[in-house]
Amino acid sequence: MMKNIYVLCGGRSPEHEVSLVTAMTIINGLNKQLYRVVPVYISREGCWQPLEPVTHELASVEELRAQTGSTVSAASSAADFLARLAADGDGGACVFPALHGEYGEDGTVQGMLELLNIPYVGNGVGASAASIDKTMTKKIAAAAGIPQSEYLYFHRQDWEQEEAQWCQRIETLIGYPCYVKPAKLGSSIGISCCANREELVVAITEAFRYDGKILVEQEIKGREVQLAVLGNERPVCSVAGEFVREADFFSYEKKYESGTLIKRIPAKLSAPVYEKLRAMTLSLFRALDGSGLMRTDFFVTDRGDIYLNEVNTLPGFTKNSMFPVLWEKTAGTTYTQLLDRLIELAMERHAGKQVTALQGVEA
């Protein structure tokens, strides 16, 4: 019997459009001989709409953008879908959350699926929730002994009450240039590089449009190097990759709209530096209790010093994104094979949880 793969896409996050691109590529890459592929569009308002099973090649993300209707509430539409999903049961369904950012990559959807006992691709509740919050990731990384740049974080109320004091703290501890980031957002949305106080105030105001907590980091002069992880209890790490580009801020436009990015895989690293990166990547994966997949990004200076930049539990996933290309270069894994492997890992983790639950009942 064909397994139903429900691909969640869209969502309430500012990364809604990026999610649709990811989902379209995943849907086109899935083996339709093995899976019955059902897109589930989630509107910007949070309404859920399962679409018809896809048997053809999607030509545009517009094929995923359903009209949910103004009279349908987010709660009732989600309940209808979850009832359908629960009816599949007994291993007949697996969810592939192709959702970036909050309300999808942050543990919320994962927790809902755990309650329904439905297998899903990717990281669990804890890893998703910790990794989406850059400040939590930094604390866990520090406990694991992974170096990182100086940083400060604060909430909107802190800024409103003590704007001048926070500017002074940033200038004293971090200095310029510095980076201002929403704590819980990806794809470089809401991130700014600041060279003085005037730019800093503008950047903080912009970042608070996306999150009530923001992070300010010291700039590290170095190349950004990325590594990919696959696995559950026995994770494996890819070779390292990097984008050949100028050493400036990697904006949303450069990531998704320039069309001129060139990858260098393997990255230009000495063997000892790569081994350090690999060890740190696997250590952080375990510290976060990762499962399925993860991408870690580091800065490497000319002296070979290493600093963590960020962790991504649902990295960019088009065929040209760094994560799938790293696995193609590491093990010859095709995009379709990578999707198969992620579904296998999801089912493996789910089966393990069933054994643990049964043993708990028997005890």
Side-chain angles (χ1 to χ4, degrees), residues 195-209:
N196 53 55
R197 182 175 288 202
E198 182 180 359
E199 293 180 0
L200 178 66
V201 172
V202 172
I204 290 172
T205 302
E206 172 69 9
F208 275 133
R209 290 180 56 210

Side-chain angles (χ1 to χ4, degrees), residues 208-223:
F208 275 133
R209 290 180 56 210
Y210 299 99
D211 198 353
K213 178 169 67 173
I214 67 168
L215 180 75
V216 183
E217 290 179 315
Q218 181 185 57
E219 181 182 59
I220 299 295
K221 293 289 187 183
R223 294 178 292 130

